[in-house]
Structure formats: structure tokens, C-alpha cells
Amino acid sequence: MENSVTQDGIATVLSNQSLDSSSVRPEIVVQIVDLKAVVNRYTFNANDGKMKIKATLPATLTSDIISGKIQNLGLIRLLAYTVNEIPGKSEEKYMLVTKCEAVAPALDSEIKSESKASTGITLKPKQEFVAKSASQIINEQRGNAAPAARMAMTRRVHPLVSLNPYQGSWTIKVRVTNKGVMRTYKNARGEGCVFNVELTDEEGTQIQATMFNAAAQKFYDIFQTGKVYYISRGSLKLANKQFKTVQNDYELTLSENSEVEEARNEEMFVPEIKFNFVPIDELGAYVNQKELIDVIGVVQSVSPTMSIRRRNDNEMIPKRDITLADESKKTVVVSLWNDLATGLGQELLDMADQHPVIAIKSLKVGDFQGVSLSTISRSNVVINPDSPEATKLKSWYDSEGKETSMSAIGSGMSPSANNGSRSMYADRVCLSHFTSNPSLGEDKPVFFSTRAYISFIKPDQTMWYRACKTCNKKVTEAMDSGYWCEGCQKKDEECSLRYIMAVKVSDSTGETWFSAFNDEAEKIIGCSADELNQLKSEEGEVNEFQTKLKEATWSAHLFRVSVSQQEYNSEKRQRITVKGVSPIDFAAETRLLLQDISKNKTSQ
Amino acid sequence: MDTSSPSVFVNGALLRRFVGQKVRTVIQVMGSDMGSVVGKSTDDLQIFVRGSPPPSLTTYLEVIGIADSENSIRAEVWTNFGDSFDALNYNELCKLANGEFKHLFI
Ligand SMILES: [Zn+2]
């Protein structure tokens, strides 16, 4: 094979303005330079070392370019073309190549007239020119080609962006970035099953692939989220815009005859699913928001599967709860639904004692148990992801995390309330909501979160009671000495004081009274009832008891409260009980206020 | 409150509207020397602050002074804002304070 261009080839082209494959044609070999993709075709400059002419290649040759058969700086033999004038520029011409064949792959450089002047010089191709078809590639993979050899072949893999319905055979190399669940369907043509996957290639292009019936059965277990595959022999069609989840004009349908092979042990980079992790202790701000979040955590526990009856259609669907922890020393429960509960969930249960790290993309944040996470149909779970975050988390867990005591993100807000335990960021109201709705909580107690200042603590109220050290119930002074607990039926020499107090709270909309029990009152006052009692009994220059109460006044807290109705002298009165007290996270509160401002703006 | 010499809340992009006027902003300190501090505004633009910064600076710094170009301030008041500060919130505040809620600010 002569690796050289035809001398004065361009001049020949210009003097033979049209050439078709049937005519007796002169031999014209030119070099392709400045090869560029323009919309759906390629343009280049045809170079003979002396002259260049603008040229285009037909769309039918796109696959030859993508496969590397025709390369920039390579040589082609012109078999059919026409030369046209560029409209408006009569002196400039361009060549429309309709047929050509590859003569040589990319040369080291553009052929220049200097090198042409010394005749006889043949430029060496950069690499051996071996065009491989997609089926050859697949066959060689079957033959267990060494990884290095495979790497060499990946050059022939088509980028997803180049796929179109009009091209012949192709092979793509893609990562499964989302795997759907198997669905059954019934329509006029019968019934069957279908599932789809989202595929992403090295360049980050995505395409959805759909498999029906036999193909669905065949490939459902083969496709695993996060793994890389070679795929060929699928068919492309225009994507249904209504259902499309990825940015691609086309979608792929795989049949039983499609070839799918996992690319194992390859160092080839294919973009991973892009995660944007939210630390567990920051999940509160996302409760009941539309925004989906990603989370990474160490698996603490995995529950058995449960069957939950779905409200809207009464269908029983499988659910499994897993508990995740991260470096914020908080844990959160993630509910896996459907196939994630049965398939992946089982896998997690089997390996739960190894505490794998899992990363989940696209979760809903709900207010069950304060803050909880739930998978949706397009959630993605990756077990032990190969990422720096996962490595860091795992080493934290192994070194200290497993010894650390963790608390649930949703707890601490209301340890005693069963049905009232919701997030501090959900159902937020102002105090006027209570004062302007006197019948609030008439049927059953209702729960809210509110941010308010303690504005007054009456110092002469009965703030505490004597409690049994075992059961916290009220005790009475025994006849001789000590205290008698009715609950325990036991006498103890000592008792402890527990708060039960009323505090006045204020915000910009008004003021009202809250009742607070021991744990919540301790947070409000800043010391235990025993300690406060101690201060009260100490007579001195400064009354420390008064000071303590003063200090507690005019400080703001986030309150979780229940509102109920209680009868006083046959008259119903609203009673607001503090179920949880947390310090104010100013940044989070500000975000909440900004949200409110933008909500008000859009609703106006 | 001294309202005789108000200072406008600005981020990096808003600064250019107030060249010659008194502004206040919070930056993330990137570097400093005797007579100046280079920082990143809450909208990720570079801001130069001239004057005499305090000897030790925290990650976030509030400065009040005259905007002398569209990316520099001659500071009169320097306040360390600590190492954790929600830049996003501050940036939204700047936008609101110069947008439709401008009338609420001095
Ligand atoms: Zn007892």
C-alpha cells in the first residue's frame, strides 16, 4: 500500500469537476486534514501537499470515521465526487465526496509541499491499520483477549453521541447508571414485561435502553447498576419525549439477539453516577421538600422485608428499612421499596455484619420519625462505591465510628411523643396560629414546630414535684422518713425533683403559655430541678435562683409542641405542651425564611 | 443607630453599582498583607480590600468602607465573622436588600 498522495491530486479534482464510480477515473489519493463534525456530517480539507480544497463526507461514512477507518491526517482514494461553487464566492470551490475508500490511517503530520518536493518519501502511518467490525470486537472479547489487547480495541467503540438509526453495526461501551424495575403491562397486543436502564458512556452521554419480554428476562439480571458493558446489535429509534429521563434524541431497544457483555477488570473511565451527598445531620432542611437528595452512609442495620398496602390502589408492595450512619454521628432510616427491598435489600441483609458503605442517589426526605428517607422508582443504590467519600467513611467507621454512640437524626425532638415526632423544619407555625385558633386540638392532639422566645417564667409558681428515682412518678412523704412511691409500692430514703412548669413564650405575632415537663424544662432553664432548688435555698447577696430564671428569659428556642384541649371547670381550654426543645441553627432558620420570602413572592 | 452614613449590603456583583459609596460585605479571606486583604465574595468574585486589617483574621471577614472600584473597597471597619458562616444566605440577603425589598433597608 502506497502511503502517499497523488501528485497534483487537487488540480485533477478541479479539472474533473465530477466523478462517478462508473466512469473511467483517474487515481486520486488525498490526505484528510482539519476533519470536523458539523451537525450530521463531517467536513475536511482535501490536501495533496500543494493545494487544499474544502470537502464534505456523506453521512453514510460517519460510522467509518467513528470506527477509525477514516481518520484525520489519513489518506483516502476518491471514487465519486462533485465539485461545486460556494454560493456567493465564485472563486472558491468545495468538493462533495459521495464515495471514497480509506487508503491509510493518520500520518504523522500534514503533507507539505517541501516533503513532496523530495519525491519518493513515503510517510509512515502512526499505527497499523486494522479495521475491525463490531462483531469482531465482540468475538475477540469472547476469546478472552488480554485486558491490554481489549484496551487497544476500545478505539473502535462508538461514542453514544454518534449512534443513529441509519447506521449499521456498532458497539458501545457504557456504564449502567440507573436500572429500572421490571414492570408488567397489558395492552391491545397482549401482555408482557418491560424494564429499562440508563446508560452513560465515557463522554458522559446518556441513552435509555428498553427491553421487552424475552429480552427483559434475559438481561434483567445481567445489567447491574454501576457496572460497565459492551453492547451491540440494538436498534435505535426516536425517543418518546414524554417518557424520556435522559438527554438523548434517540433511545435504544435491545432484543433477545442483542449482545451485552460486561467489561470486567478494565481501567477504562466511564463516568460514575454523579452524587451530591447531603450529610445526615443536614437532612432536616429537606424534609417534605420536592428536592431529591443523595446520601452516603455505613449500613448499621437491615430489617426483614415487610409488605405495605399502598393507599391509592391497595396493592401490597415490599419494603425494607435500613439504618445508615455517617461522620456527623447521626443515623437515618432509609426505606427501600419494591425491587430494591427484595433484591438489593436481601444482598444488604446478607452482608449487614460487614457494615458496607452504600451511596444512594435520588431519595425523598420525609418526616416519618422526624426525618426519614425513602427510595423512589428512579433511586440508585451503589454498594461499596469506589469513591474517595466511601473510602473516607469506611476508614472513619473502622477507626472510631463503630465505637461511637450515634443518635437518630429525627430524635431529640420529642422522645416521649409517639405520633408527634416530626422534624423541627416541618409544619412550622407562628404563635398566632395557636391564639387565633382556640379550638385547635379539639378532636385529638395536633403537633407543630415553632420558634419563639421565653418571655417570662413566673418565679413563685410550683415548678417541680418530688419524684420517685425509679419511675419518676410523684411520691409522698412517708410517715417516719423517706418517700413512698405508689407506683413502685416502695419506700426510698431519697427522691428527686422533676420540673413541671409554665413558661410564657413570645414571637413577632403574639404570646402564649407553654407547659414544660422535666427534660424540656431542663433545656429551657439550663439546669436540673434539684440544682435550681439548691440555688433557691441558698440565701445570699445575689439571688442565684432569680439570676438563673432571668438568664433563661429572652432566649429563643425551636419548640416542638402538642396542642390539646383540657377541661377546667367544665370549660375547655387550650393546652400547649412542649415535646421538644432545640437550639436555633441560625443558618438553617435563615434558609427557611428565604424560602418563605420566595414562596410569598411567587404566590403574589 | 447611626443612619447618617448608611452602608449598603453588597456581594461581588453588586459592588460595581456603588463605586464611590459606602458599602458592607462579607468575604472569605484568601490572603492578606499589611495594607490589604484579598477575598472571595459570597458570589465567588474576587474582592480587594485596602486599609489596615486587624493582625489576625478569621476565615470570614466583614468590611465596611467606600467602594473605590468595581472590585475593591477601602475599609474603615473590619470585623472578624469567624470560621463558619453561611455565604449562601448572606448572598441572598444582599440580593434582597438591593432588589424589591430595597425600601426596607437604609
Ligand atoms: Zn416509683
Side-chain angles (χ1 to χ4, degrees):
Chain A
M1 197 181 281
E2 183 77 20
N3 290 317
S4 184
V5 292
T6 307
Q7 205 164 352
D8 296 319
I10 303 302
T12 312
V13 166
L14 291 170
S15 56
N16 296 273
Q17 302 232 332
S18 141
L19 187 74
D20 64 59
S21 36
S22 59
S23 56
V24 184
R25 53 176 191 258
E27 163 90 357
I28 308 172
V29 173
V30 295
Q31 187 186 28
I32 294 178
V33 296
D34 309 318
L35 183 67
K36 256 198 309 222
V38 177
V39 197
N40 59 350
R41 59 173 64 219
Y42 284 83
T43 67
F44 67 99
N45 282 320
N47 174 38
D48 68 359
K50 264 189 198 163
M51 284 175 78
K52 284 186 203 167
I53 181 173
K54 285 205 171 82
T56 63
L57 287 170
T60 50
L61 289 177
T62 300
S63 61
D64 282 350
I65 294 166
I66 287 151
S67 67
K69 210 163 158 186
I70 295 175
Q71 296 177 331
N72 192 35
L73 298 179
L75 305 182
I76 54 166
R77 179 174 292 112
L78 301 175
L79 301 177
Y81 65 78
T82 53
V83 175
N84 298 304
E85 281 180 10
I86 293 178
K89 295 182 185 173
S90 56
E91 71 284 1
E92 225 182 320
K93 304 253 182 345
Y94 76 99
M95 172 171 63
L96 201 69
V97 178
T98 45
K99 214 169 166 198
C100 68
E101 62 182 6
V103 175
L107 306 178
D108 291 328
S109 60
E110 186 179 318
I111 298 172
K112 295 268 164 62
S113 47
E114 298 88 79
S115 64
K116 194 64 195 164
S118 56
T119 45
I121 283 190
T122 51
L123 290 145
K124 237 181 86 204
K126 261 201 246 175
Q127 58 225 110
E128 263 311 299
F129 187 53
V130 191
K132 280 181 188 162
S133 70
S135 59
Q136 274 178 298
I137 295 170
I138 293 292
N139 285 335
E140 283 180 42
Q141 284 158 14
R142 290 242 170 90
N144 276 332
R150 277 199 203 166
M151 284 293 283
M153 292 175 339
T154 56
R155 213 162 51 85
R156 310 284 181 221
V157 165
H158 286 57
L160 274 181
V161 72
S162 75
L163 294 193
N164 64 66
Y166 316 107
Q167 105 202 85
S169 62
W170 44 258
T171 297
I172 53 173
K173 185 181 184 182
V174 286
R175 190 186 293 277
V176 174
T177 44
N178 195 6
K179 181 181 169 183
V181 295
M182 184 79 88
R183 287 174 290 137
T184 54
Y185 67 88
K186 210 184 238 178
N187 61 24
R189 279 177 290 171
E191 53 189 290
C193 58
V194 59
F195 90 102
N196 50 45
V197 286
E198 276 174 27
L199 307 172
T200 307
D201 78 352
E202 198 180 1
E203 296 171 356
T205 314
Q206 295 197 304
I207 195 165
Q208 180 172 297
T210 307
M211 287 141 278
F212 290 94
N213 305 326
Q217 305 287 4
K218 182 177 174 186
F219 295 121
Y220 189 76
D221 291 331
I222 294 175
F223 279 125
Q224 303 288 330
T225 305
K227 290 189 173 166
V228 179
Y229 300 85
Y230 288 104
I231 301 173
S232 61
R233 304 184 66 186
S235 59
L236 283 144
K237 56 170 191 164
L238 277 171
N240 184 336
K241 287 211 163 55
Q242 201 184 337
F243 299 117
K244 90 178 180 183
T245 56
V246 299
Q247 280 309 310
N248 201 317
D249 290 340
Y250 298 114
E251 62 181 44
L252 200 53
T253 305
L254 300 183
S255 72
E256 246 184 310
N257 301 322
S258 297
E259 313 230 24
V260 173
E261 188 143 338
E262 191 185 337
R264 288 174 206 270
N265 311 320
E266 286 197 35
E267 293 298 310
M268 191 73 180
F269 173 78
V270 174
E272 295 276 352
I273 307 164
K274 285 197 181 67
F275 288 100
N276 190 7
F277 298 120
V278 175
I280 293 174
D281 63 346
E282 288 174 21
L283 288 171
Y286 297 87
V287 169
N288 295 337
Q289 302 291 312
K290 277 212 187 93
E291 198 177 335
L292 299 176
I293 61 98
D294 306 340
V295 79
I296 187 167
V298 179
V299 175
Q300 300 279 94
S301 63
V302 180
S303 82
T305 52
M306 300 158 260
S307 280
I308 305 292
R309 193 176 292 280
R310 195 156 57 194
R311 244 178 253 156
N312 52 0
D313 60 1
N314 264 345
E315 200 184 319
M316 296 299 284
I317 44 177
K319 174 199 173 193
R320 191 193 295 267
D321 285 344
I322 58 171
T323 306
L324 297 185
D326 73 5
E327 284 170 277
S328 66
K329 294 178 187 150
K330 292 284 181 191
T331 62
V332 68
V333 172
V334 184
S335 299
L336 307 175
W337 295 90
N338 286 312
D339 280 16
L340 286 176
T342 49
L344 182 123
Q346 183 60 44
E347 207 179 318
L348 283 174
L349 183 64
D350 295 342
M351 62 195 296
D353 53 344
Q354 298 156 35
H355 299 290
V357 169
I358 66 169
I360 313 178
K361 178 149 193 78
S362 304
L363 286 166
K364 265 180 72 117
V365 188
D367 60 15
F368 181 67
Q369 291 170 335
V371 179
S372 61
L373 302 173
S374 219
T375 62
I376 57 167
S377 64
R378 51 175 287 112
S379 297
N380 248 315
V381 185
V382 185
I383 302 174
N384 287 325
D386 187 14
S387 73
E389 290 102 334
T391 313
K392 186 163 159 265
L393 196 55
K394 187 71 184 158
S395 69
W396 164 78
Y397 190 78
D398 291 341
S399 63
E400 55 167 313
K402 62 182 170 203
E403 312 291 343
T404 311
S405 73
M406 314 241 194
S407 60
I409 173 69
S411 73
M413 294 167 184
S414 54
S416 53
N418 306 323
N419 52 350
S421 49
R422 297 180 72 180
S423 157
M424 282 295 191
Y425 299 95
D427 52 38
R428 182 68 71 89
V429 295
C430 294
L431 296 181
S432 60
H433 189 72
F434 308 126
T435 51
S436 60
N437 297 291
S439 61
L440 212 59
E442 211 163 34
D443 306 326
K444 56 172 187 168
V446 282
F447 294 83
F448 299 97
S449 296
T450 186
R451 173 167 50 89
Y453 285 89
I454 302 289
S455 51
F456 182 56
I457 304 169
K458 212 166 172 243
D460 55 358
Q461 67 177 310
T462 310
M463 289 188 187
W464 47 67
Y465 65 96
R466 290 192 183 124
C468 165
K469 288 198 150 181
T470 315
C471 71
N472 291 338
K473 286 211 172 87
K474 192 171 176 172
V475 291
T476 49
E477 251 173 298
M479 293 294 273
D480 37 8
S481 71
Y483 305 91
W484 173 255
C485 174
E486 198 57 38
C488 299
Q489 289 289 311
K490 212 178 73 184
K491 202 184 88 170
D492 197 334
E493 286 309 309
E494 291 178 341
C495 67
S496 63
L497 299 179
R498 287 177 70 83
Y499 286 116
I500 173 164
M501 61 159 59
V503 294
K504 199 185 208 180
V505 289
S506 303
D507 72 5
S508 60
T509 67
E511 54 180 25
T512 188
W513 290 89
F514 284 177
S515 306
F517 291 98
N518 195 59
D519 295 351
E520 290 72 38
E522 252 182 35
K523 287 185 186 160
I524 293 168
I525 304 293
C527 67
S528 69
D530 280 313
E531 286 165 322
L532 191 63
N533 182 47
Q534 183 65 34
L535 295 177
K536 195 178 183 181
S537 60
E538 280 169 11
E539 306 279 332
E541 290 277 300
V542 249
N543 191 327
E544 293 288 345
F545 168 75
Q546 293 280 5
T547 311
K548 204 78 193 166
L549 295 188
K550 226 179 233 171
E551 278 171 3
T553 311
W554 297 118
S555 55
H557 304 272
L558 271 184
F559 296 99
R560 185 74 195 156
V561 298
S562 78
V563 184
S564 57
Q565 298 286 330
Q566 281 205 335
E567 267 188 51
Y568 277 98
N569 306 325
S570 72
E571 197 188 313
K572 282 206 163 180
R573 274 172 63 177
Q574 192 182 58
R575 183 180 164 87
I576 308 172
T577 310
V578 180
K579 296 291 187 183
V581 181
S582 338
I584 289 176
D585 175 343
F586 291 98
E589 287 297 308
T590 307
R591 277 196 288 275
L592 212 58
L593 291 172
L594 285 168
Q595 264 177 32
D596 282 349
I597 291 172
S598 70
K599 258 186 232 158
N600 287 338
K601 275 192 333 201
T602 51
S603 67
Q604 269 165 16
Chain B
M1 191 154 96
D2 177 19
T3 57
S4 59
S5 175
S7 47
V8 192
F9 282 100
V10 295
N11 60 16
L14 288 161
L15 186 59
R16 69 172 63 101
R17 279 204 226 163
F18 299 96
V19 176
Q21 296 177 52
K22 196 164 180 184
V23 293
R24 77 167 67 204
T25 193
V26 174
I27 56 168
Q28 189 185 333
V29 176
M30 312 302 289
S32 67
D33 58 34
M34 290 290 285
S36 70
V37 173
V38 183
K40 198 172 71 172
S41 68
T42 54
D43 54 345
D44 268 342
L45 295 172
Q46 195 163 298
I47 292 187
F48 299 91
V49 189
R50 290 184 286 142
S52 5
S56 77
L57 296 171
T58 57
T59 309
Y60 292 95
L61 175 70
E62 188 200 46
V63 292
I64 301 176
I66 307 293
D68 52 10
S69 82
E70 50 175 62
N71 64 357
S72 66
I73 297 169
R74 190 158 25 84
E76 293 149 16
V77 183
W78 308 74
T79 313
N80 276 322
F81 265 24
D83 298 323
S84 82
F85 180 75
D86 197 308
L88 191 79
N89 281 336
Y90 187 85
N91 199 49
E92 291 305 309
L93 166 71
C94 293
K95 288 195 277 183
L96 290 172
N98 288 283
E100 61 190 293
F101 298 101
K102 199 172 163 39
H103 59 284
L104 296 174
F105 293 81
I106 297 166

